[in-house]
């Protein structure tokens, strides 16, 4: 029994229910006193900031405290084996702050913290939310300026904001073109500014009213053996020039369906035509280009002799400064405008390029860059080349792997449209100036001869040897852009019309 009594006395001593006043100094006390001597001041067993530095087991009772500790419970023990001086200082501060009552916090400190938060972040950080899923975003305080981009908006996105547009690969409408002459070197197709589509079918010319859908018969040649070789509208869409196989150029008043005059100056068929105000330029199989002043009786004012074979491509620049001509001799020429009153046969080509290895029928000037010219070569060339007329250099070149028969620039999306014959017989839309392919349009069963653009630049029409005309709505603007463009057009001054005698 004495032995059990002795063990009970030992257990009662080890329980440490109260501080031992006359016993030897505990190990943790010796450690604390030695640490305070080395520079750790203010740490004592009686304060909440006191933490044992011993690697031994944490005592079950803290001296001087009656609150029971549970060191085995996860997260309940603050014992850290190794600490440097800075960690001890931070731990002391945090523990001291943790034990402060909530009422002890100063209101002035809260206001100061709020002011710093608003100044640095633009809002009180206590009111901030990590995610704001619905409702309106938090309002910034008055006078606050934020230079950062808006990451989201609750307002609905308008229809005009689209990353991509849909381009239909099937034609919007197909028209029959019976007896269309299957000849690569002819230009039997043109679209007027008044929305009339002119097409030559053998020795007849028909007009299709794209607004109403009506078909109008305009004219026919007297001889059954003759045929129409080229068509070209004036800028205002009132008059149509018709080149024929009997070496003549006829002028027609479309509104009154009346022939105004027939001009004879060529010695071979007239396969290409282009207008520049009152000057009509015509290209012949003889290789000559004639300028006609349609205002005077002696219409033939100049002859350009730069090609040795048929002139199959002819196009005036939008500003009227240059005339581009392409021939079956693989030459591309750029001619200056003939000054008023100058004698004929004196004009010389500014540029003569021979990079193409095939007939050059496809020519197109860029509407928004008047000094840029696009040209396309025939079956043995198959290249689209972009030229800078001012510098005389080839800006870019692209092998299309197919005969290039026609080119036109589409201003609505700054793209280039090309029509092809052998071997693909398709229409391709290219992004300009990168010449990356946007889409291919397959709707013809034979080679495509010509491409024409509608007056509003939203639709292209293509004519093919399969005796069909396809209309593709590939460049329609969204309502917002269309309305803005219409306002711009209305603000421009009206065009002065000059009569043809």
């Amino acid at each position: 029994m004495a032995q059990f009594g002795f063990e009970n006395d030992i257990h009662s001593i080890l329980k440490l229910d109260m501080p031992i006043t006359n016993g030897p100094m505990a190990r943790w006390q010796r450690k604390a006193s030695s640490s305070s001597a080395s520079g750790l001041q203010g740490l004592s067993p009686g304060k909440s900031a006191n933490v044992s530095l011993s690697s031994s087991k944490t005592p079950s009772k803290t001296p001087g405290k009656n609150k029971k500790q549970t060191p085995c419970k996860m997260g309940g023990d603050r014992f850290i084996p190794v600490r440097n001086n800075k960690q001890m200082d931070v731990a002391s501060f945090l523990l001291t702050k943790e034990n402060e009552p909530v009422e002890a916090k100063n209101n002035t400190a809260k206001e100061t913290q709020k002011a710093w938060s608003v100044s640095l972040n633009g809002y009180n950080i206590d009111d901030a939310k990590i995610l704001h899923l619905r409702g309106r975003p938090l309002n910034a305080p008055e006078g606050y300026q934020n230079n950062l981009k808006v990451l989201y908006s609750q307002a609905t996105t308008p229809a005009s904001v689209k990353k991509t547009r849909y381009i239909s690969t099937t034609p919007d409408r197909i028209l029959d073109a019976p007896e269309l002459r299957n000849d690569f070197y002819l230009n039997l197709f043109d679209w007027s500014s008044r929305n009339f589509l002119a097409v030559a079918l053998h020795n007849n010319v028909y007009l299709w009213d794209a607004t109403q859908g009506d078909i109008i018969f305009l004219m026919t040649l007297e001889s059954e053996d003759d045929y129409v070789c080229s068509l070209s509208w004036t800028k205002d869409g009132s008059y149509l020039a018709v080149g024929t196989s009997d070496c003549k150029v006829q002028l027609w008043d479309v509104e009154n369906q009346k022939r105004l005059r027939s001009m004879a100056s060529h010695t071979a068929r007239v396969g290409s035509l282009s207008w520049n105000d009152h000057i009509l330029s015509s290209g012949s199989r003889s290789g000559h280009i004639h300028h006609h002043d349609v205002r005077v009786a002696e219409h033939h004012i100049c002859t350009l002799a730069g090609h040795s074979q048929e002139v199959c491509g002819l196009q005036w620049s939008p500003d009227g400064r240059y005339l581009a001509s392409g021939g079956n001799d693989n030459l591309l020429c750029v001619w200056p405008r003939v000054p008023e009153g100058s004698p004929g046969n004196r004009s010389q080509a500014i540029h003569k390029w021979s990079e193409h290895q095939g007939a050059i029928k496809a020519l197109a000037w860029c509407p928004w860059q008047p000094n840029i010219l696009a040209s396309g070569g025939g079956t043995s060339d198959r290249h689209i080349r972009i030229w800078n007329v001012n510098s005389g250099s080839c800006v870019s070149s692209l092998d299309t792997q197919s005969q290039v028969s026609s080119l036109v620039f589409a201003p609505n999306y700054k793209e280039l449209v090309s029509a092809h014959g052998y071997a693909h017989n398709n229409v391709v839309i290219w992004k300009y100036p990168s010449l990356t392919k946007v889409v291919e349009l397959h709707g013809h069963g034979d080679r495509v001869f010509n491409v024409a653009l509608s007056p509003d630049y939203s639709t292209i029409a293509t004519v093919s040897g399969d005796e069909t005309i396809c209309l593709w709505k590939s460049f329609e603007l969204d309502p917002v852009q269309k309305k803005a463009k219409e306002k711009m057009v209305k603000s421009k001054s009206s065009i002065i019309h000059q009569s043809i005698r």
Side-chain angles (χ1 to χ4, degrees), residues 39-206:
L40 297 177
Q41 302 294 334
L43 294 177
S44 63
K47 292 187 178 180
S48 61
N50 181 40
V51 180
S52 175
L53 298 178
S54 173
S55 60
S56 64
K57 184 177 178 180
T58 306
S60 59
K61 292 274 187 175
T62 303
K65 297 289 183 179
N66 292 326
K67 188 180 290 186
K68 187 177 180 180
Q69 294 185 358
T70 55
C72 60
K73 188 177 179 180
M74 183 65 66
D77 189 14
R78 292 184 178 274
F79 171 69
I80 300 175
V82 179
R83 268 187 186 162
N84 56 26
N85 295 342
K86 183 178 292 187
Q87 288 176 332
M88 292 296 294
D89 291 340
V90 173
S92 176
F93 170 75
L94 292 177
L95 290 173
T96 305
K97 183 178 180 182
E98 189 178 70
N99 293 332
E100 288 181 358
V102 179
E103 293 77 15
K105 292 186 178 179
N106 194 355
N107 292 332
T108 307
K110 288 184 179 181
E111 294 297 329
T112 304
Q113 183 179 1
K114 182 178 179 181
W116 275 105
S117 179
V118 171
S119 177
L120 294 175
N121 304 314
Y123 56 89
N124 187 5
I125 196 169
D126 293 334
D127 299 333
K129 296 180 181 180
I130 297 176
L131 292 177
H132 198 80
L133 299 179
R134 62 179 60 186
R136 305 181 67 177
L138 298 174
N139 294 327
E142 185 178 358
Y144 174 72
Q145 294 182 354
N146 188 2
N147 296 325
L148 300 178
K149 295 186 297 184
V150 177
L151 297 181
Y152 70 95
S153 176
Q154 193 178 12
T156 56
T157 304
S160 61
V161 181
K162 295 181 180 179
K163 293 183 179 179
T164 59
R165 77 181 195 273
Y166 171 74
I167 301 177
S168 176
T169 55
T170 57
D172 181 69
R173 177 174 292 189
I174 301 177
L175 307 175
D176 288 330
E179 296 187 87
L180 182 78
R181 195 170 186 85
N182 196 337
D183 192 331
F184 172 80
Y185 301 100
L186 303 183
N187 296 274
L188 308 174
F189 193 59
D190 200 14
W191 205 333
S192 76
S193 59
R194 297 190 178 186
N195 214 14
F196 280 90
L197 201 61
V199 58
L201 306 178
H202 186 49
N203 62 345
N204 303 311
V205 176
Y206 290 88

Side-chain angles (χ1 to χ4, degrees), residues 179-421:
E179 296 187 87
L180 182 78
R181 195 170 186 85
N182 196 337
D183 192 331
F184 172 80
Y185 301 100
L186 303 183
N187 296 274
L188 308 174
F189 193 59
D190 200 14
W191 205 333
S192 76
S193 59
R194 297 190 178 186
N195 214 14
F196 280 90
L197 201 61
V199 58
L201 306 178
H202 186 49
N203 62 345
N204 303 311
V205 176
Y206 290 88
L207 306 178
W208 179 66
D209 187 348
T211 305
Q212 304 294 333
D214 300 330
I215 297 176
I216 304 170
F217 171 74
L218 180 64
M219 55 86 67
T220 184
L221 298 177
E222 296 177 359
S223 175
E224 184 68 23
D225 296 332
D226 293 331
Y227 54 90
V228 178
C229 301
S230 55
L231 297 172
S232 182
W233 289 98
T234 56
K235 189 174 183 180
D236 62 357
S238 301
Y239 305 100
L240 179 67
V242 180
T244 63
S245 61
D246 61 351
C247 317
K248 296 179 181 178
V249 179
Q250 298 183 13
L251 296 182
W252 283 81
D253 183 348
V254 176
E255 185 175 356
N256 299 317
Q257 298 186 22
K258 179 182 178 181
R259 189 180 75 178
L260 300 179
R261 67 189 304 177
S262 178
M263 299 178 292
S265 61
H266 288 288
T267 57
R269 71 177 187 179
V270 183
S272 55
L273 295 167
S274 184
W275 285 93
N276 185 14
D277 293 334
H278 55 272
I279 301 296
L280 173 63
S281 300
S282 57
S284 172
R285 178 179 272 181
S286 64
H288 290 171
I289 301 171
H290 290 180
H291 290 328
H292 310 271
D293 189 343
V294 298
R295 302 172 300 176
V296 297
E298 297 297 329
H299 56 86
H300 183 203
I301 59 173
C302 185
T303 299
L304 308 178
H307 295 278
S308 58
Q309 296 186 39
E310 182 170 12
V311 179
C312 49
L314 207 60
Q315 198 71 245
W316 277 101
S317 62
D319 55 7
R321 296 177 59 192
Y322 304 109
L323 174 67
S325 64
N328 196 25
D329 55 0
N330 307 343
L331 282 180
L332 174 60
C333 300
V334 177
W335 310 85
R337 181 170 183 169
V338 179
E340 295 286 343
S342 63
N345 304 323
R346 289 187 58 184
S347 182
Q348 298 294 324
I350 299 175
H351 301 292
K352 269 193 179 183
W353 294 304
S354 58
E355 278 79 356
H356 284 287
Q357 303 302 315
I360 305 170
K361 177 191 175 185
L363 295 173
W365 291 92
C366 183
W368 59 91
Q369 289 180 296
N371 62 314
I372 296 297
L373 171 67
S375 62
T379 307
S380 56
D381 181 71
R382 306 181 305 275
H383 279 74
I384 295 176
R385 302 183 192 274
I386 308 296
W387 308 88
N388 188 322
V389 178
N390 292 343
S391 63
S393 60
C394 181
V395 178
S396 59
S397 178
L398 174 68
D399 187 358
T400 65
Q401 302 296 325
S402 186
Q403 178 190 46
V404 186
S405 56
S406 185
L407 292 170
V408 66
F409 280 95
N412 283 358
Y413 293 93
K414 287 184 169 52
E415 292 170 337
L416 178 66
V417 184
S418 61
H420 300 273

Side-chain angles (χ1 to χ4, degrees), residues 414-460:
K414 287 184 169 52
E415 292 170 337
L416 178 66
V417 184
S418 61
H420 300 273
Y422 179 81
H424 295 160
N425 300 332
N426 63 348
V427 180
V428 183
I429 300 176
W430 310 88
K431 197 67 183 176
Y432 178 83
S434 62
L435 294 184
T436 55
K437 185 181 295 185
V438 178
V439 70
E440 289 187 19
L441 307 177
H442 298 273
H444 291 289
D446 203 335
R447 56 183 177 178
V448 185
F449 293 133
N450 292 95
V451 175
L453 193 62
S454 63
D456 61 353
Y457 311 127
S458 66
T459 307
I460 54 172

